[in-house]
Amino acid sequence: GENVEQHPSTLSVQEGDSAVIKCTYSDSASNYFPWYKQELGKGPQLIIDIRSNVGEKKDQRIAVTLNKTAKHFSLHITETQPEDSAVYFCAAYGKLTFGQGTILTVHP
Amino acid sequence: DTEVTQTPKHLVMGMTNKKSLKCEQHMGHRAMYWYKQKAKKPPELMFVYSYEKLSINESVPSRFSPECPNSSLLNLHLHALQPEDSALYLCASSRVGVKAFFGQGTRLTVV
C-alpha cells in the first residue's frame, strides 16, 4: 500500500521566517497531494493541494512543490505568523494516506 | 459550502453498548470516508464509500460497521468496543479522487 513519510516531526520558527515541510510517497500511481492543517480539537482543514501534472502551486503565503520523478513534495509557508502554529499533514491519493504530521510552532 | 457535519461531538459508551456516529454533507460529493485518529498521530483510514458502495475496508474489526444510506449520509455503527478504540473519529467527503473535506470529528471514549 501507499506509504507517506513526512519530515520534520517538529518545526519551530520565529514570526516572519519561512517554514518548509517535506514528504515522500511510495506509490507512483498517486496523482493528487493535499496538505492539511489541524488545530487542537478540530478536524483537518485543507489548505492547499497539487495534482501530479503540476510542479508548483501558490496561494498567498503558502506554496506546494511536487517532484514526481523523485516522489517528493513540499509545503512552503512564507512570512509565518503565530496563527500558523498547528499540526500539518501531507497526504497522497491513492487512498488518501497521511504522513506522520509536523508540529509547527511560530514564536512571536 | 464546504461543511461536513458530524454528530455527536462527544460520546462516552460502555463496552457492551451499541451506538452510532453520523456524518452528513450536502456538497454533492460521492466519496465519503471514515478515519480514526489517536492523540499525536495522523488520521488512519478505516472505510471509503464511493457512490454509496463500500470500496475500501482497511481490515477494520467487525465491531465497527459502516453504512451509507444515501449520497449525503454516512454512519458508523459501534458495538462491543474496547477501551483502545477511544479516539477521534473523523468523517470526510470528496468528489472522487480530490479535495477531501473533513468534519470536526466525534471524540469517543470507551469505558
Side-chain angles (χ1 to χ4, degrees):
Chain A
E2 176 70 275
N3 185 44
V4 180
E5 298 286 335
Q6 181 173 346
H7 300 281
S9 57
T10 60
L11 181 57
S12 184
V13 300
Q14 289 296 127
E15 183 176 1
D17 288 350
S18 295
V20 180
I21 303 171
K22 298 183 179 183
C23 289
T24 59
Y25 61 99
S26 60
D27 188 352
S28 55
S30 293
N31 58 8
Y32 170 70
F33 306 92
W35 285 89
Y36 289 88
K37 174 183 181 182
Q38 189 173 24
E39 296 174 304
L40 198 61
K42 297 186 177 181
Q45 176 192 1
L46 179 67
I47 56 171
I48 196 167
D49 55 6
I50 191 166
R51 291 179 181 265
S52 59
N53 58 351
V54 175
E56 184 173 358
K57 183 177 178 181
K58 189 173 181 181
D59 182 5
Q60 299 183 336
R61 297 186 296 110
I62 296 174
V64 57
T65 59
L66 171 65
N67 182 328
K68 205 175 173 203
T69 303
K71 294 190 209 163
H72 64 73
F73 56 113
S74 300
L75 177 71
H76 305 253
I77 306 174
T78 58
E79 301 171 30
T80 54
Q81 301 167 2
E83 51 265 38
D84 294 329
S85 298
V87 182
Y88 289 81
F89 292 102
C90 63
Y93 210 112
K95 288 194 295 186
L96 202 55
T97 303
F98 282 76
Q100 291 301 304
T102 297
I103 301 172
L104 174 64
T105 304
V106 181
H107 299 282
Chain B
D1 179 13
T2 58
E3 189 170 359
V4 176
T5 303
Q6 290 187 243
T7 55
K9 289 186 168 44
H10 302 274
L11 179 62
V12 180
M13 60 184 291
M15 289 188 283
T16 59
N17 291 160
K18 288 185 180 180
K19 296 286 184 182
S20 297
L21 308 185
K22 296 186 183 301
C23 175
E24 188 168 3
Q25 57 87 15
H26 296 287
M27 294 177 277
H29 292 167
R30 303 308 295 272
M32 296 187 78
Y33 312 73
W34 280 116
Y35 282 83
K36 173 183 178 180
Q37 188 177 27
K38 303 282 271 186
K40 301 186 187 299
K41 296 291 186 182
E44 293 178 29
L45 184 64
M46 300 175 71
F47 303 104
V48 181
Y49 274 83
S50 180
Y51 295 94
E52 295 92 68
K53 293 192 188 316
L54 184 64
S55 59
I56 296 175
N57 176 342
E58 291 289 276
S59 303
V60 178
S62 59
R63 57 185 184 270
F64 296 91
S65 175
E67 179 195 20
C68 189
N70 59 55
S71 60
S72 299
L73 294 174
L74 185 67
N75 298 322
L76 185 63
H77 303 298
L78 313 173
H79 172 56
L81 295 193
Q82 304 297 310
E84 58 265 29
D85 295 322
S86 299
L88 181 68
Y89 287 84
L90 292 161
C91 173
S93 73
S94 74
R95 286 166 47 211
V96 177
V98 292
K99 288 193 187 300
F101 294 95
F102 282 80
Q104 295 302 300
T106 294
R107 177 74 60 189
L108 175 67
T109 303
V110 182
V111 297

